[in-house]
Amino acid sequence: MTTKDFSIKWLAYALALLPVWFAQAFLVNRFPLFGVVPSLLPLAAVAVAVLEGASAGAGFGLAVGVLFDTLEPGSAGWMTLALTLVGLCAGLLAQYVLRQDLLGCLVCSVLALGAIDAGRILARLLTGRAGLSAMAAVAGREIAWSLCFVPLVYLLFRWVFRRVPKATVL
């Protein structure tokens, strides 16, 4: 893959990330369901990881994590690390265990959102901010509401994946 092809590919993914970010920042937060808003940026990291593999997924997860931490008020910066690991793990799972399709993306999304919310719950339990049952209920609703958007996010990034240059094997 030439440098130009590489640049075009990741520019296309970055442009595809913009409507996902816009939807999370300005649209879905206006329509909370059962008191929670969905988290769409982790779904974007998972979708690219499922389609592109572990190393590309980790790199895109890093970029999405930086975007998330930059734009999310009160973020302590841990989503950069979390989404990098999510991209790596989702890419590995999709490459070696699951299929690189919508079902694989859905399974990886469930695991990713569960891991992210488990980290949030653990951090809040250690600081004594809230009870476990209340946080688990909120996390469950957030995960369920977020999973409704997996097909849309996956189809957007699959559309990009089918149109961007692929690596050539010599």
Side-chain angles (χ1 to χ4, degrees), residues 4 12 29-30 33-34 46 66 101 113 118 134 140-141 155 168-169:
K4 180 181 175 184
N29 64 354
R30 306 237 188 269
L33 185 65
F34 302 114
V46 168
V66 168
D101 60 2
L113 293 170
R141 291 192 306 264
L155 290 174
T168 57
V169 179

Side-chain angles (χ1 to χ4, degrees), residues 77-156:
W78 69 276
M79 282 298 282
T80 300
L81 175 63
L83 289 180
T84 303
L85 292 174
V86 160
L88 176 69
C89 294
L92 287 172
L93 275 173
Q95 277 182 293
Y96 299 113
V97 179
L98 304 169
R99 295 178 53 173
Q100 292 176 292
D101 60 2
L102 178 60
L103 183 59
C105 186
L106 185 62
V107 170
C108 289
S109 295
V110 169
L111 295 173
L113 293 170
I116 289 169
D117 279 339
R120 288 176 180 164
I121 288 172
L122 182 62
R124 288 186 176 109
L125 280 176
L126 293 175
T127 59
R129 290 162 116 179
L132 177 62
S133 61
M135 288 188 293
V138 169
R141 291 192 306 264
E142 181 190 32
I143 291 169
W145 185 210
S146 297
L147 290 176
C148 295
F149 293 91
V150 169
L152 294 172
V153 172
Y154 174 78
L155 290 174
L156 172 66

Side-chain angles (χ1 to χ4, degrees), residues 2-121:
T2 66
T3 304
K4 180 181 175 184
D5 291 342
F6 183 82
S7 299
I8 290 170
K9 174 182 183 172
W10 291 106
L11 178 63
Y13 279 126
L15 290 174
L17 182 62
L18 289 177
V20 176
W21 166 76
F22 183 83
Q24 178 170 328
F26 299 110
L27 297 177
V28 296
N29 64 354
R30 306 237 188 269
F31 306 104
L33 185 65
F34 302 114
V36 296
V37 295
S39 187
L40 303 181
L41 288 177
L43 302 180
V46 168
V48 171
V50 165
L51 293 168
E52 290 286 345
S55 60
F60 193 74
L62 175 68
V64 173
V66 168
L67 177 69
F68 192 100
D69 284 333
T70 302
L71 300 174
E72 189 72 24
S75 178
W78 69 276
M79 282 298 282
T80 300
L81 175 63
L83 289 180
T84 303
L85 292 174
V86 160
L88 176 69
C89 294
L92 287 172
L93 275 173
Q95 277 182 293
Y96 299 113
V97 179
L98 304 169
R99 295 178 53 173
Q100 292 176 292
D101 60 2
L102 178 60
L103 183 59
C105 186
L106 185 62
V107 170
C108 289
S109 295
V110 169
L111 295 173
L113 293 170
I116 289 169
D117 279 339
R120 288 176 180 164
I121 288 172

